[in-house]
Amino acid sequence: MLQITHENFLDLKYFASGVFHPLQGFMNYEEYKKVVYEMQLLNCEIWTLPITLEVSDFKDINIGQKQDLYYQNKLVGNILIEDKFYVKDEELYEIFQTKDEKHPGIIKEKRRSSLRIGGKIELREEFYKGSLYKNILKDIFHPDIKTIVGFQTRNPIHRAHEHLQRIALEICDALFINPLTGWKKQGDFTEEAVMSAYKIMFNEFYPKERVYIQGLQTAMRYAGPKEAIFHALLRRNMGCTHFIIGRDHAGVGNYYGIYEAQNLARELSKYYNLGIDFLLLKEPYYCTKCQKIVSEKNCAHYNQHRIAISGTQIRKDLNEGKIPSKIMMRPEISAGILALGKENIFIN
Ligand SMILES: [Zn+2]
């Protein structure tokens, strides 16, 4: 009997519902290595982050056999075991492009068992029925809507996000805001804080027929550029035609260059058909001379009049129970978040 983790249970749902298309199960070692070192599946399609099933030991793991999978003691599906293998530190360093053991993605991966198995899975229907993501956007929006841009986030909306989203809505017909609601590191915003902020945005500011929000329950990896592409592929599979990559997408600390994710997207799109287009947008800031949110692409005062829209500053203010500057976050959104109470705003 194989008990699986919460994270692997979510993976099962995404295989079954097509969010991880074309994957049909957990990677074997050959595919895992190709993804880690070449960002490709065995069929040579681009895929940037490995998806593997962790096990605590290899007892009763027999290649070629089907094994039942249990989550919280419930039978959820099965795997046809193709391979068993160990993941190594140097592969982790390659995934995260750093050897720093303090990187939150590496810390998290090292907490997992290094024993993995690969193979095609089957999930019992009751666990993904009704939660199908594939083509959900076609069901949500009016048929006149042809282009849908995906926006990945793990934070409550601030002015820079709003600026990017409005630009995206000028280019595309509709916007799909898809906050990540799986594992996040300590000190990040809770799902409740993120959703309550967007609720205010939806009720008071955004056109309802063009903007849709739904959480995506999968772990943050903080793998920067590779995770940006991974995020885009998932949104492609959900029906998005475009995907926004802004500043330091899925980055953390100073591990990745602020436009490294955009560069990777540009580079890959040159040589491969990823099935999704990118909106690669410069970092918005508030210009005290232009007196609005701008970017270095449309304002000449980057060095003299720039006030950064700082997520760190917003977090600090909210953590101290203060309303952040209205230049950075709409006051009604700040108030809505603070009303949740500090213990509900941040992950402990
Ligand atoms: Zn300016």
Side-chain angles (χ1 to χ4, degrees), residues 285 287-292 294 298-302 305:
Y285 58 87
C287 173
T288 54
K289 175 118 178 172
C290 299
Q291 295 193 356
K292 61 190 300 207
V294 293
N298 53 51
C299 146
H301 319 112
Y302 185 85
H305 299 287

Side-chain angles (χ1 to χ4, degrees), residues 4-185:
I4 62 171
T5 62
H6 178 65
E7 184 176 337
N8 280 147
F9 178 55
L10 294 176
D11 293 336
L12 281 183
K13 288 197 195 190
Y14 295 139
F15 291 130
S17 62
V19 173
F20 284 165
H21 174 85
L23 300 182
Q24 302 196 329
F26 293 100
M27 293 173 183
N28 59 33
Y29 191 52
E30 201 189 347
E31 188 149 69
Y32 167 84
K33 270 198 306 189
K34 197 165 164 77
V35 167
V36 170
Y37 289 101
E38 298 172 44
M39 298 189 288
Q40 288 181 12
L41 301 172
L42 291 176
N43 71 5
C44 296
E45 275 186 53
I46 293 296
W47 193 272
T48 50
L49 292 179
I51 312 283
T52 55
L53 177 58
E54 64 177 292
V55 292
S56 50
D57 56 60
F58 286 149
K59 191 162 61 81
D60 304 326
I61 301 294
N62 301 309
I63 291 170
Q65 277 186 7
K66 262 191 192 171
Q67 257 292 358
D68 284 337
L69 299 174
Y70 290 81
Y71 174 61
Q72 293 181 337
N73 296 317
K74 264 185 290 196
L75 177 63
V76 293
N78 64 63
I79 179 167
L80 175 60
I81 300 169
E82 252 176 52
D83 199 8
K84 51 183 177 184
F85 57 97
Y86 295 87
V87 293
K88 303 180 195 72
D89 284 356
E90 62 253 40
E91 294 153 356
L92 284 186
Y93 301 151
E94 184 66 27
I95 294 167
F96 294 100
Q97 300 285 298
T98 175
K99 290 186 175 175
D100 187 346
E101 304 268 338
K102 290 196 229 55
H103 185 291
I106 292 186
I107 292 173
K108 176 182 164 290
E109 279 302 309
K110 288 210 152 182
R111 277 195 215 118
R112 302 176 70 197
S113 164
S114 60
L115 281 62
R116 309 290 166 91
I117 58 177
K120 268 197 183 138
I121 63 101
E122 282 171 334
L123 180 66
R124 288 168 70 112
E125 206 182 330
E126 71 235 51
F127 293 103
Y128 67 93
K129 223 175 108 192
S131 68
L132 281 176
Y133 279 98
K134 198 170 164 68
N135 292 330
I136 197 168
L137 298 181
K138 285 184 188 145
D139 300 333
I140 296 294
F141 290 112
H142 190 273
D144 285 349
I145 284 180
K146 304 292 183 211
T147 53
I148 300 161
V149 55
F151 184 79
Q152 146 74 32
T153 187
R154 58 180 203 261
N155 294 308
I157 180 168
H158 57 52
R159 299 272 192 177
H161 294 152
E162 181 180 335
H163 179 79
L164 299 179
Q165 290 169 4
R166 288 186 197 263
I167 289 173
L169 272 171
E170 290 293 340
I171 299 168
C172 296
D173 299 332
L175 168 68
F176 175 41
I177 297 163
N178 196 206
L180 221 135
T181 60
W183 177 87
K184 292 190 280 191
K185 64 184 168 55

